[in-house]
Amino acid sequence: MSEDWELAEVLDLLSDEYARSILAATSVEPMSAKQLSEQCNASLPTVYRRIEWLQEYDLIEERTKVELSGNHHKVYSATLDEFAMDLDDGGYEATIERTSRAEFPGEDADDTADRFTKMWENL
């Protein structure tokens, strides 16, 4: 998303308790929609709707978690680092700082390659 967002839209999103819960949970560790549903006490459709909204503002990112069993699934990680709003000269100025998550916390860069190798070795 470009930085051409409306302050009111971001405030509406961040005022939503489910969106905040999802951001808080995924700032600790990557989580699947099912895990978020349980963690946030929300239905799966509610979780997916909030994830979609958070992705519109690049506040959460999606990755595919590769499992040795072949059951790959999507996990989400918050990219929001800081939201600030200043009142100056009769107007508001807001900034969003995002975290660059090249790797999810606890995820090794070689992890996917290692899993792929193990998968081939076990065939």
Side-chain angles (χ1 to χ4, degrees), residues 44 50 52 61 113:
L44 273 174
R50 294 325 187 274
E52 183 179 310
E61 70 178 3

Side-chain angles (χ1 to χ4, degrees), residues 54-65:
L54 290 164
Q55 286 176 322
E56 287 181 30
Y57 294 93
D58 295 328
L59 301 179
I60 197 168
E61 70 178 3
E62 173 184 289
R63 297 242 180 125
T64 300
K65 185 173 183 180

